[in-house]
Amino acid sequence: MSNPLHINAGRLLGDIADLARIGASDSGGVHRPALSPADIEARAWFRERTRTGGFRPGEDGAGNLSAVLPAADPSARTLLLGSHLDTVPDGGRFDGALGVLAALEVLRTIREAGLILPVRLEAIAFTDEEGTHISLLGSKAAAGLLAEADLEHPHSSREAFAAGLARAGLTPEGLLSARRDPASLAGYLELHIEQGARLEQSGTDIGVVTAIVGIRSFWLTFTGEAAHAGTMPLPDRRDALWGAAAFIGRARAAVLADFMPGTMNCGIISVTPGAFNIAPGQARLALEFRHPDTAVLEEMEAALLALAGAAAEEHGLQLAVTPVGSVAATPLAADMIAAIERAADRLGRSHMRLASFAGHDAMSMQAITPSGMLFVPSVGGISHNPGEVTPDADIVSGANVLLHTVLDLAGAADRGS
Amino acid sequence: MSNPLHINAGRLLGDIADLARIGASDSGGVHRPALSPADIEARAWFRERTRTGGFRPGEDGAGNLSAVLPAADPSARTLLLGSHLDTVPDGGRFDGALGVLAALEVLRTIREAGLILPVRLEAIAFTDEEGTHISLLGSKAAAGLLAEADLEHPHSSREAFAAGLARAGLTPEGLLSARRDPASLAGYLELHIEQGARLEQSGTDIGVVTAIVGIRSFWLTFTGEAAHAGTMPLPDRRDALWGAAAFIGRARAAVLADFMPGTMNCGIISVTPGAFNIAPGQARLALEFRHPDTAVLEEMEAALLALAGAAAEEHGLQLAVTPVGSVAATPLAADMIAAIERAADRLGRSHMRLASFAGHDAMSMQAITPSGMLFVPSVGGISHNPGEVTPDADIVSGANVLLHTVLDLAGAADRGS
């Protein structure tokens, strides 16, 4: 039991530093949106690291890149380990990259240790997790969750999406044919930074993710009447922004009072006509809210939309509610949660269970195979930001827990000593 | 005294209908921002109407267009009558256009009546009253109120302003040299729609403007920290939009409680980064407020900026306040007020004194010559909106009061019988 197997810390940290140079932004972060030239460069770099690690590089129709460590039995099921290489605009160096590079490092460590596991191991980098074009694109494709209609309305634009696919040599047909056979899979594991501050604040090494939040998003359009900002007396106005502003404050208060640890966000707002001297006739507001419990998410939706309706009515406005997206809350696999906890215990790492308030590729994979996630701390909870930092020790600790979770699941924990 | 001189109602209404076709918008309004192609077309149309009316078309360095009816004495002072041809984006057909076309009609009527007045009459269309680029641009230039620095920060952009000037054949040098000699002027009169509902609600024919409101405007920039909309718990966020939204509601309440009949408006808002799943790090809000009393305007500024500061502090934000514009409250000339009231009385039109809550070219002109304004009713107070309506009878009534104010000031009221 002493001297359990460990990953090569220097090699993993070196890989993270090397990858962070691809798309490095002036602000010290990483700008590597999916299928951008920087992302294409990162993909080529990963293929090369796969090759130099001695693994056969693989790629499916969705552009998901793999490194494979075969099992003794060629018919063995595959345990997938991965995350994504793309970033949000001007994001950080750990979100996604950590999970992919730690997966590759786990494969290298197991091979170098001469371990022959009863499962095939595959380190996988999923395409466009962040949704530059389509959120969770690669993992949805792999899970068979992608429909032709999903390709019609990319977040970017049809032109930008088509250009990105062409850059990566991908096609819509390929995307729709990338589904993995669930019977071929033994599970999916993803190591990720927390992107919150709960681990740091509680001094915990490892977060064991119990569920990934459900997310709902809407456009709220408040419509009143544009008016001259001087001549229309205040009491007679139907100012659309007044309704939107009242809603924002009340929605925040309602979530704080009744729906914690749920979250709400109004991340985009615009008014028309849009002039210093015209009272807004219309205000368009992006609303998103999250909760790990589907039943509570339903209650939040009812409460928040009722608040929007009341704010509109108070100011003589009409309210139009347009659903934009809905992601179901995803409980992760109990077996995976238990295996991660055993691995952390084996390595003497403290751990706590928590929900993930961000979406991850594990949401897709859980649809076809038992999936688990583990988090390492993010300093200050900063994420989707150049200031994203996870200390080296936590990175190494997380990769080692990932390694031992694999060994545990493979029934090889003892051999990993 | 019976059968006082009247303008040609059909001709004036025809001109208004013709001009409204230039820049006609799908919504039934008029989209003719200053120096846009539609505005250039309207300017050409006005020159042509000036010519066909038998007047020499004039244009100064600021692009202000004139039609002149000479006096017998070539050294006679000029009584200016006018307003503007430009509109706000998707505005109405009367705001500005009425004053220019009624002025032209008054000149035509006086000439056709064979009246030789002791003043030179000039119908004038001022450039960019609405501030597409610079508010009251043409009248400020004519009044010598335009400084070189004013041209550096147009509301549009330097590029758009330069393009507009080029389109109209104007230059910064021309703008800065358009000042009229005050000694050459006998006064300025402007007929305008009320853009409010006080005349309509009180059943009054003519509003006699005593003062034009002071206006102050600011950019308020709330800065917090952008954050992941899921992983950053609500209590830890420094969401810039929360501060801006709280401010909007409180500013409105403060003006309603303490500063009526003053007004406030937040007519533009934007947030960055601007995504459904990112809590805004920065919110930029356009604030404008108005009051006809300068002392109260000062108090409003102090109160509103204090509210903005408090809202920022509550949400852990920084607030940057950037003054955008300041227009002093402008009392109009007592002689003009009296002359308008005499003319209305002479024509049997009811009238009331009121302050204008909109800025007008008369604000500029009052700086160099005694200026007066008269209002006609706006149905429902609707303005800066395609739904702007003034009934034909009120248009004709207003133009006739303008005519008789001119005759009164020229000492020719009796000859106008």
Side-chain angles (χ1 to χ4, degrees), chain B residues 232-249:
Chain B
M232 179 68 78
L234 285 198
D236 298 340
R237 293 189 193 183
R238 294 169 51 222
D239 184 321
L241 182 55
W242 293 350
F247 168 73
I248 292 166

Side-chain angles (χ1 to χ4, degrees), chain A residues 195 218 226 228-231 237 241-242 252 263-268 271 274-280 288 290 357-358 384, chain B residues 195 218 228-231 237 241-242 252 263-267 271 274-280 288 290 357-358 384-385:
Chain A
Q195 303 177 271
F218 296 87
H228 191 293
T231 61
R237 294 189 193 183
L241 183 54
W242 292 351
R252 173 179 175 272
T263 62
M264 57 74 63
N265 186 51
C266 293
I268 310 171
V271 294
F276 269 86
N277 61 351
I278 309 182
E288 188 206 79
R290 305 181 183 215
F357 275 83
H384 282 190
Chain B
Q195 306 177 266
F218 296 86
H228 190 293
T231 60
R237 293 189 193 183
L241 182 55
W242 293 350
R252 172 180 176 271
T263 62
M264 58 72 65
N265 186 51
C266 293
V271 294
F276 269 87
N277 60 351
I278 308 181
E288 188 206 78
R290 306 182 182 215
F357 273 83
H384 281 189
N385 185 299

Side-chain angles (χ1 to χ4, degrees), chain B residues 176-406:
Chain B
L176 296 169
S177 68
R179 180 169 182 270
R180 303 288 287 243
D181 176 6
S184 73
L185 299 177
Y188 172 70
L189 285 172
E190 182 169 356
L191 170 63
H192 205 281
I193 59 167
E194 181 195 347
Q195 306 177 266
R198 291 164 296 175
L199 295 177
E200 183 192 38
Q201 284 169 7
S202 63
T204 307
D205 298 323
I206 300 289
V208 184
V209 181
T210 54
I212 301 176
V213 282
I215 308 177
R216 297 201 181 163
S217 50
F218 296 86
W219 279 116
L220 303 182
T221 305
F222 297 82
T223 303
E225 187 157 41
H228 190 293
T231 60
M232 179 68 78
L234 285 198
D236 298 340
R237 293 189 193 183
R238 294 169 51 222
D239 184 321
L241 182 55
W242 293 350
F247 168 73
I248 292 166
R250 292 176 199 169
R252 172 180 176 271
V255 175
L256 282 167
D258 302 328
F259 299 110
M260 291 298 286
T263 62
M264 58 72 65
N265 186 51
C266 293
I268 310 173
I269 187 169
S270 63
V271 294
T272 54
F276 269 87
N277 60 351
I278 308 181
Q282 192 165 82
R284 192 160 178 256
L285 186 65
L287 169 67
E288 188 206 78
F289 50 92
R290 306 182 182 215
H291 202 282
D293 182 322
T294 300
V296 181
L297 198 63
E298 289 287 347
E299 289 172 33
M300 284 177 82
E301 177 171 327
L304 294 177
L305 296 185
L307 285 174
E313 197 175 334
E314 254 171 57
H315 291 285
L317 310 173
Q318 317 231 260
L319 173 70
V321 177
T322 309
V324 172
S326 174
V327 177
T330 306
L332 294 181
D335 288 354
M336 291 299 185
I337 292 169
I340 296 165
E341 289 176 336
R342 284 194 301 271
D345 286 339
R346 177 172 168 77
L347 296 175
R349 295 295 162 193
S350 60
H351 53 86
M352 66 186 284
R353 294 186 178 194
L354 37 64
S356 169
F357 273 83
H360 294 290
D361 292 311
M363 301 166 76
S364 307
M365 301 315 290
Q366 171 67 18
I368 56 164
T369 194
S371 298
M373 282 198 83
L374 57 158
F375 282 168
V376 287
S378 299
V379 174
I382 294 168
S383 177
H384 281 189
N385 185 299
E388 188 180 274
V389 172
T390 292
D392 287 353
D394 288 319
I395 289 171
V396 173
S397 154
N400 278 317
V401 174
L402 178 66
L403 168 65
H404 281 270
T405 305
V406 171

